[in-house]
Amino acid sequence: MYDLYILEYCPYCKKVMAFMDENGISYNKIDTADKEKEDALIQLGGKRQVPFLVDKDRNIQMYESSDIIEYLKTVA
C-alpha cells in the first residue's frame, strides 16, 4: 500500500489521486493541512511539497505528480 501526502485543493495531488482511483490502486491519503502530518512529510522528504508518494514495500519516496504516475505505471 502506498502513502500519498496531499493537500485537497492541490491540482497536482488531484491528478495523482484520479490516476490511482481510475486504476484501482489502493493508497492512504495523508492530508498535510494537518500540522502534524505536514511535519511528518517534511521529516520524510525534506520539504513541504505535495504530492509526495511513499512506497514502503520498495523503499521509494518521490515528489512530482508526473513522476509519481510514471512510477505507478511500472509497478502497479
Side-chain angles (χ1 to χ4, degrees):
M1 171 106 42
Y2 303 98
D3 288 338
L4 183 64
Y5 288 81
I6 58 105
L7 283 169
E8 287 293 341
Y9 59 82
C10 167
Y12 302 104
C13 299
K14 289 179 182 181
K15 175 182 169 182
V16 172
M17 289 187 293
F19 175 83
M20 294 178 88
D21 292 341
E22 289 166 7
N23 289 279
I25 301 169
S26 298
Y27 61 99
N28 295 316
K29 180 169 64 172
I30 303 168
D31 192 341
T32 59
D34 177 318
K35 178 70 172 136
E36 288 181 21
K37 293 175 181 168
E38 180 186 48
D39 290 344
L41 165 64
I42 294 168
Q43 195 165 21
L44 275 172
K47 51 189 173 180
R48 185 174 281 115
Q49 181 180 333
V50 289
F52 181 67
L53 180 78
V54 178
D55 180 349
K56 293 177 186 173
D57 294 337
R58 294 176 183 88
N59 198 28
I60 298 291
Q61 300 176 351
M62 65 177 52
Y63 293 100
E64 300 297 334
S65 59
S66 295
D67 292 344
I68 292 170
I69 289 170
E70 288 305 311
Y71 172 73
L72 291 171
K73 285 179 182 177
T74 67
V75 297

